[in-house]
Amino acid sequence: MKDKQKRIDSIKELLKKVDDKDFNVYFFVIDSKGNPSGSLEYVYSVAYTFKELGYRVAMLHQEENFVGVGDWLGSKYAELPHYNIAKENVEVSNVDYLFVPEYQASILSQVKDLPCKKIGILTNKAYLTDVMPVTATWAKFGIGDVITNTDGNKKFIETYFPGVRAWHISPCIGNAFRKQVDVLKSPVVNLCVKKPEDVKRIMKTFYWKYPLYNWVSFRDIRGFGHEKLADILNEGFLTVWSDSDTAFGYAALEALRCGSIVLGKIPDEPNDWMVSKDALTPAIVWFDNYDVVVDMIASLVRTWTLDAVPDGITASVDSLNECFTADDQKNEVENIFTNNILESRKKDFHIMIAHLESVEEDKEESNEE
């Protein structure tokens, strides 16, 4: 009887820790060595939102010479506690939470037996199919919940991982990306394309075909940190964006926030915000192959110099700019984690207590008989 009471008291202590937010929320991260990464940005953004909601957050990694995200994502993210689990002893209790992104699915076998609650993160399906071991599933590693950055990824989890609860928490666009009203746009075309050879291809073919537009300049904007990138996007009137296998499309939204017209290549799988009423959003001027891109740039140069940007583009941009805010993400984390995942865990604890108490009552009635 005393042993059971100790177990009941122990579970009640866990419940109190949950109510008091007296537990750790860990996030596994990789080191991009100072290179911007949309998937990594999402993880840090969600982690910081947890911190703002009063949870005790820490980032875990296994890197010998960890560079971090300070130079490109910002100091507030770099200042989150970081621990190298290859060198430092990190205590994990059964009331803690551990978030594991899909690009680190290969370590799932190492964390499978940890006593904490494990939650997956899916930002890019391609990473998951590349890294997740054959025949492995989230559930096999003790993961019953996965958060995703798009509704499309949520549906992917629900389709291919039955029994796993999928939750959609939207990314947020950093506060650095906003239109600077005191900055005049210049005849600069920002190039945000994945392949270096495409930068040369666009620039050279444009000048070959439109030599009279030699007053238009081009700038490769890959690799800049948020603050510098926001200044660049505010200066250029046009941003050419191409990322066929994008998981979300941070770069396009960041450019729109800074008042830049966006000429975008249609991704292989356009995600939630790119589609409006079963059609691609008019907030972006779309193209499907590079053969037409220089003509479209020339057309947009003429449109911009005549101050004749269509009202449909402006209205759609204004609508998108109201989405993906830090407050939106905070509300979603609060609803999904605090009001659902955490409440479900508390319910499990209550069930365990009720079960232990009912067993004891049954024994007492049996002894009386």
Side-chain angles (χ1 to χ4, degrees):
M1 180 175 178
K2 289 183 179 179
D3 289 341
K4 283 187 178 175
Q5 189 56 48
K6 283 183 179 179
R7 291 175 62 188
I8 291 172
D9 291 342
S10 176
I11 297 171
K12 287 182 177 179
E13 287 179 13
L14 295 178
L15 270 170
K16 187 177 186 307
K17 285 189 174 184
V18 171
D19 288 331
D20 295 342
K21 295 183 178 179
D22 184 18
F23 57 89
N24 299 302
V25 182
Y26 295 113
F27 290 81
F28 259 114
V29 292
I30 57 172
D31 188 11
S32 65
K33 302 303 179 185
N35 297 309
S37 161
S39 294
L40 194 57
E41 179 175 346
Y42 179 76
V43 175
Y44 271 93
S45 173
V46 172
Y48 192 83
T49 298
F50 269 83
K51 177 181 180 295
E52 288 195 314
L53 288 170
Y55 294 101
R56 195 164 58 231
V57 171
M59 318 304 282
L60 307 181
H61 66 88
Q62 302 180 87
E63 301 286 342
E64 180 68 26
N65 299 304
F66 190 79
V67 175
V69 299
D71 288 342
W72 62 273
L73 192 54
S75 59
K76 72 177 186 180
Y77 299 102
E79 289 168 1
L80 290 170
H82 286 70
Y83 299 103
N84 182 352
I85 60 172
K87 285 187 172 183
E88 300 174 80
N89 182 31
V90 178
E91 293 186 4
V92 180
S93 74
N94 53 1
V95 76
D96 292 335
Y97 283 80
L98 174 65
F99 285 82
V100 184
E102 82 285 290
Y103 49 75
Q104 288 191 307
S106 58
I107 70 164
L108 288 174
S109 59
Q110 300 175 38
V111 302
K112 178 182 177 182
D113 296 324
L114 290 177
C116 62
K117 176 79 171 179
K118 293 168 282 292
I119 298 176
I121 299 178
L122 177 64
T123 60
N124 192 316
K125 293 179 288 188
Y127 295 158
L128 185 65
T129 54
D130 183 48
V131 178
M132 181 76 85
V134 178
T135 74
T137 65
W138 293 103
K140 283 186 177 180
F141 296 106
I143 292 179
D145 294 280
V146 175
I147 66 170
T148 70
N149 60 339
T150 67
D151 191 54
N153 281 342
K154 178 176 181 290
K155 292 175 181 175
F156 175 83
I157 292 293
E158 292 169 342
T159 300
Y160 294 101
F161 298 94
V164 172
R165 296 190 303 177
W167 308 91
H168 177 198
I169 296 178
S170 302
C172 69
I173 304 302
N175 291 331
F177 299 102
R178 60 189 182 279
K179 190 172 181 179
Q180 300 170 4
V181 294
D182 58 336
V183 176
L184 294 176
K185 293 292 183 184
S186 301
V188 176
V189 179
N190 297 315
L191 298 178
C192 184
V193 296
K194 261 196 168 182
K195 299 178 182 178
E197 57 267 29
D198 288 335
V199 173
K200 294 181 180 179
R201 177 183 179 181
I202 293 172
M203 290 174 56
K204 291 183 177 181
T205 54
F206 178 82
Y207 289 131
W208 290 339
K209 190 167 185 178
Y210 297 97
L212 294 179
Y213 282 158
N214 59 4
W215 47 272
V216 176
S217 60
F218 290 82
R219 178 164 43 196
D220 183 358
I221 64 172
R222 293 171 303 158
F224 287 103
H226 277 196
E227 296 293 337
K228 178 62 176 176
L229 179 59
D231 290 339
I232 291 171
L233 291 172
N234 268 281
E235 181 183 347
F237 86 98
L238 175 64
T239 298
V240 179
W241 170 65
S242 175
D243 187 357
S244 296
D245 59 352
T246 182
F248 176 66
Y250 278 99
L253 288 169
E254 290 164 354
L256 291 176
R257 288 278 172 91
C258 293
S260 177
I261 301 170
V262 175
L263 176 59
K265 190 173 187 300
I266 301 173
D268 294 339
E269 295 183 29
N271 59 52
D272 315 345
W273 68 264
M274 299 178 193
V275 179
S276 175
K277 297 180 180 178
D278 298 323
L280 290 169
T281 175
I284 290 178
V285 182
W286 297 101
F287 69 96
D288 57 6
N289 67 77
Y290 279 106
D291 293 334
V292 300
V293 72
V294 295
D295 294 328
M296 297 182 75
I297 292 174
S299 176
L300 289 168
V301 169
R302 290 191 291 270
T303 297
W304 175 70
T305 55
L306 295 172
D307 195 22
V309 178
D311 292 338
I313 292 180
T314 303
S316 299
V317 169
D318 290 343
S319 177
L320 272 178
N321 284 346
E322 295 176 0
C323 305
F324 308 114
T325 67
D327 286 340
D328 290 338
Q329 188 177 81
K330 184 181 292 187
N331 290 335
E332 290 177 8
V333 170
E334 181 79 20
N335 178 54
I336 289 170
F337 184 76
T338 307
N339 299 338
N340 283 279
I341 295 176
L342 211 57
E343 284 299 318
S344 177
R345 191 115 187 257
K346 289 164 67 175
K347 184 179 179 181
D348 289 341
F349 287 147
H350 283 296
I351 290 173
M352 292 168 64
I353 292 172
H355 173 71
L356 288 169
E357 290 177 339
S358 66
V359 169
E360 193 59 41
E361 288 175 1
D362 290 343
K363 280 195 172 183
E364 288 178 357
E365 289 177 3
S366 177
N367 291 334
E368 288 176 2
E369 291 177 0

